Amino acid sequence: MLAQMTHSAPADLSHADTIVSHAAARRIAWADLAKGWSILLVVIMHSTLGVGAQVGETGWLHHLVAFAKPFRMPDFFLVAGLFAAAAVDRPWRRFLDKRVAHFVYFYVLWAAIIILVKVGVETRGDARVLLERFVASLHDPYSSLWFIYVLPFMFLTVRLTRALPAWLVLAVAALAHVAAQAAAEPTPYAMSSNLTGWFALDSYLLFIVFFLAGHYGRDGIFGVAAAAAARPLASGAVLAVWAALNGAAVVSGLANAPGFTLVAGLVGALAVVVASAVLARFSWMGWLAAIGRNSLVIYLSFALPMALARIFLIRSGVIGDVGWLSAATALFALVTPLVAARLVAGTPLAFLYARPAWARLEPKSGA
């Protein structure tokens, strides 16, 4: 979607139109970078925690994971909310196809694949256990796929509350976040809650406010990005102050305080926006933008290569340092889905990353 929105201006455009086109391109570039940071940090977190659990040690990457905890998922949801308006204004059939059926298809498909591989190996192909785990995954999101599971409900929330005042919807969502966070056990690396006991609902309550903030605050967020891009030195100074304060909150434990998590999440997500807007000026950051454009591909399928890399690297002993072991695992988990998606494109396996016609509610279109 983001890639489709980014295009170069024809040669016969007026100067004003060219400026608008270039501004739009920069907008999308920083949004891709912000998504890139999020998926990169998600992969690093899972890789680092997995390696640490297996070897019984922590490394230098654990500190980065802890530092990113207050803003990692808030940024993911905030950026997703930025582009919700165009989707929710579509006719119901198109909306349900693009923002519900789309995610349902990929969730069910990849939950089945991951369960078949991981649980299949653990149980030596026990069909009964495999079926039980898959059926359970339809109610309780499987592993890291929970983000894909809850996202359609967030789009539906925006659609169904369009007639309500934005301040009211945001206030209810903020209260839901505080309540969900208050029911959480403080953890050093990830935000979670046990308010209702249903992981999907608890995750929704914890993060819907950031999605709505991205949706309702999109004009202001784009304004912040534009201002940051125009003043890179001042933006760098602001980011340095934020990084120090965020680090202090993490070390002191304040980052886990109900209510403060809302502030830290919003401020941290805006910090990612500022950093992304500044870095979008540099062509050498294109690798991160590419990761952002392919964040769904990575999110769906990084778990399997991550597990394989972790097992091989730990057993081989080729890397002794836990931090570098985690980094190597994360790199393999990040790159493998991109390579796989490229290899299966245009083949009978394309359905792994491209939704086939039978799984659509309406014919494929670029709209």
Side-chain angles (χ1 to χ4, degrees), residues 80-95:
L82 283 174
F83 301 96
V88 299
D89 288 336
R90 293 167 174 162
W92 264 107
R93 186 180 180 87
R94 180 171 297 181
F95 166 76

Side-chain angles (χ1 to χ4, degrees), residues 16-48:
D17 288 340
T18 302
I19 292 175
V20 171
S21 178
H22 288 173
R26 284 196 298 273
R27 270 184 168 186
I28 303 307
W30 72 252
D32 285 340
L33 284 171
K35 291 172 63 179
W37 282 120
S38 295
I39 190 62
L40 179 63
L41 290 170
V42 165
V43 174
I44 288 175
M45 180 195 72
H46 285 283
S47 300
T48 301

Side-chain angles (χ1 to χ4, degrees), residues 46-58 62 310 314 322 326:
H46 285 283
S47 300
T48 301
L49 299 186
V51 168
Q54 287 293 310
V55 302
E57 300 178 26
T58 59
H62 281 78
R310 182 175 65 235
I314 291 176
V322 176
S326 301

Side-chain angles (χ1 to χ4, degrees), residues 177-179 181-182 256-264:
H177 170 86
V178 174
Q181 185 61 37
N256 292 317
F260 186 83
T261 55
L262 175 59
V263 176

Side-chain angles (χ1 to χ4, degrees), residues 4-217:
Q4 293 169 350
M5 293 172 64
T6 306
H7 53 273
S8 57
D12 60 349
L13 284 181
S14 68
H15 178 64
D17 288 340
T18 302
I19 292 175
V20 171
S21 178
H22 288 173
R26 284 196 298 273
R27 270 184 168 186
I28 303 307
W30 72 252
D32 285 340
L33 284 171
K35 291 172 63 179
W37 282 120
S38 295
I39 190 62
L40 179 63
L41 290 170
V42 165
V43 174
I44 288 175
M45 180 195 72
H46 285 283
S47 300
T48 301
L49 299 186
V51 168
Q54 287 293 310
V55 302
E57 300 178 26
T58 59
W60 53 270
L61 261 185
H62 281 78
H63 299 301
L64 174 62
V65 173
F67 176 83
K69 173 190 170 181
F71 63 88
R72 180 175 51 244
M73 294 313 298
D75 173 58
F76 224 144
F77 284 109
L78 182 135
V79 175
L82 283 174
F83 301 96
V88 299
D89 288 336
R90 293 167 174 162
W92 264 107
R93 186 180 180 87
R94 180 171 297 181
F95 166 76
L96 291 174
D97 178 66
K98 299 293 185 181
R99 289 298 175 261
V100 178
H102 182 74
F103 294 110
V104 169
Y105 169 79
F106 284 116
Y107 174 80
V108 172
L109 173 65
W110 279 96
I113 292 173
I114 296 173
I115 289 171
L116 182 63
V117 175
K118 295 183 69 175
V119 180
V121 170
E122 295 171 0
T123 64
R124 297 184 179 182
D126 189 316
R128 181 181 61 82
V129 176
L130 287 171
L131 181 59
E132 288 177 351
R133 294 288 182 89
F134 175 71
V135 171
S137 74
L138 301 180
H139 177 265
D140 293 311
Y142 188 79
S143 187
S144 60
L145 293 176
W146 68 268
F147 173 79
I148 307 299
Y149 189 102
V150 303
L151 202 54
F153 294 103
M154 296 190 174
F155 280 104
L156 282 167
T157 298
V158 173
R159 176 85 183 208
L160 296 173
T161 60
R162 286 188 300 173
L164 299 177
W167 67 265
L168 177 61
V169 180
L170 280 170
V172 172
L175 290 174
H177 170 86
V178 174
Q181 185 61 37
E185 293 185 10
T187 59
Y189 302 118
M191 293 176 66
S192 63
S193 176
N194 193 35
L195 179 63
T196 69
W198 181 18
F199 182 73
L201 179 56
D202 288 334
S203 298
Y204 169 88
L205 295 174
L206 195 59
F207 294 110
I208 180 61
V209 65
F210 302 109
F211 185 89
L212 293 171
H215 171 61
Y216 290 119

